[in-house]
Amino acid sequence: MEKFIGTWRLESSENFDAYMKAIGVGFVLRKVGNTVKPDVQFLRNEDGTCTMKTISTFKNSEITFELDKEFEETTIDGRKVRSTITLTEGGELVHKQASEPETVIERKLQGDGDNEMVCTIKAGDVVCTRVYRKLNTA
């Protein structure tokens, strides 16, 4: 988890509109969502939990979680879901949102010094890829 700690800025996004449509996001919110380039920040808290913040000019969200423990999440589009975030042996952060359809967000680090985070988002048969670049470590 430590390699994810820091701030990440969205650099590219592919098929995000189709993903938002698959999870039921309306037309107007999809148009706004497609123009926003959020930062994602991962923090390690003193109590051992982690916080993930999504920060943009349009809307912000924040979740605090323990790896491998289910928690209730209100997604940035307002859905209430049961989520679990795990760290695989290969170092990928896998975020499962129990919803209809189920959403699985796989975050994988790559690049020189693990400075690129590739997010593959799957909802049903729709796959979206979003690439973030690391800005700092805290």
Side-chain angles (χ1 to χ4, degrees), residues 2 36-37 55 69 78-79 86 90 101 106 112 114 121 128:
E2 296 309 314
V36 174
K37 292 205 176 257
I55 304 159
K69 291 194 177 179
R79 294 173 297 128
T86 58
E106 298 172 345
D112 191 26
D114 288 334
I121 307 169
C128 164

Side-chain angles (χ1 to χ4, degrees), residues 4-17:
F4 287 92
I5 302 300
T7 302
W8 303 81
R9 176 150 300 149
L10 181 67
E11 288 205 332
S12 66
S13 184
E14 180 181 309
N15 216 29
F16 191 55
D17 188 71

Side-chain angles (χ1 to χ4, degrees), residues 103-122:
T103 296
V104 178
I105 305 163
E106 298 172 345
R107 294 176 175 92
K108 181 179 181 177
L109 301 182
Q110 63 184 35
D112 191 26
D114 288 334
N115 65 346
E116 189 174 77
M117 179 173 64
V118 177
C119 294
T120 303
I121 307 169
K122 300 172 187 170

Side-chain angles (χ1 to χ4, degrees), residues 2-138:
E2 296 309 314
K3 289 185 177 184
F4 287 92
I5 302 300
T7 302
W8 303 81
R9 176 150 300 149
L10 181 67
E11 288 205 332
S12 66
S13 184
E14 180 181 309
N15 216 29
F16 191 55
D17 188 71
Y19 161 70
M20 289 188 292
K21 189 173 184 178
I23 61 170
V25 175
F27 178 79
V28 173
L29 192 54
R30 287 198 327 265
K31 291 303 164 200
V32 173
N34 280 317
T35 64
V36 174
K37 292 205 176 257
D39 288 348
V40 174
Q41 185 177 49
F42 288 97
L43 305 166
R44 170 76 71 187
N45 303 313
E46 288 183 13
D47 63 0
T49 61
C50 297
T51 298
M52 181 176 70
K53 297 179 181 183
T54 302
I55 304 159
S56 76
T57 55
F58 175 65
K59 196 170 186 180
N60 300 329
S61 71
E62 180 176 317
I63 59 172
T64 297
F65 61 93
E66 290 182 63
L67 288 174
D68 303 317
K69 291 194 177 179
E70 187 177 70
F71 62 96
E72 185 173 301
E73 176 183 0
T74 301
T75 64
I76 203 157
D77 60 301
R79 294 173 297 128
K80 292 206 181 294
V81 298
R82 298 297 298 170
S83 294
T84 306
I85 299 177
T86 58
L87 186 64
T88 69
E89 287 185 23
E92 288 185 27
L93 203 57
V94 179
H95 183 169
K96 292 185 179 180
Q97 297 174 333
S99 58
E100 190 54 48
E102 178 183 65
T103 296
V104 178
I105 305 163
E106 298 172 345
R107 294 176 175 92
K108 181 179 181 177
L109 301 182
Q110 63 184 35
D112 191 26
D114 288 334
N115 65 346
E116 189 174 77
M117 179 173 64
V118 177
C119 294
T120 303
I121 307 169
K122 300 172 187 170
D125 61 353
V126 176
V127 178
C128 164
T129 302
R130 292 168 66 88
V131 178
Y132 294 79
R133 175 90 40 209
K134 193 165 199 176
L135 299 178
N136 62 42
T137 56

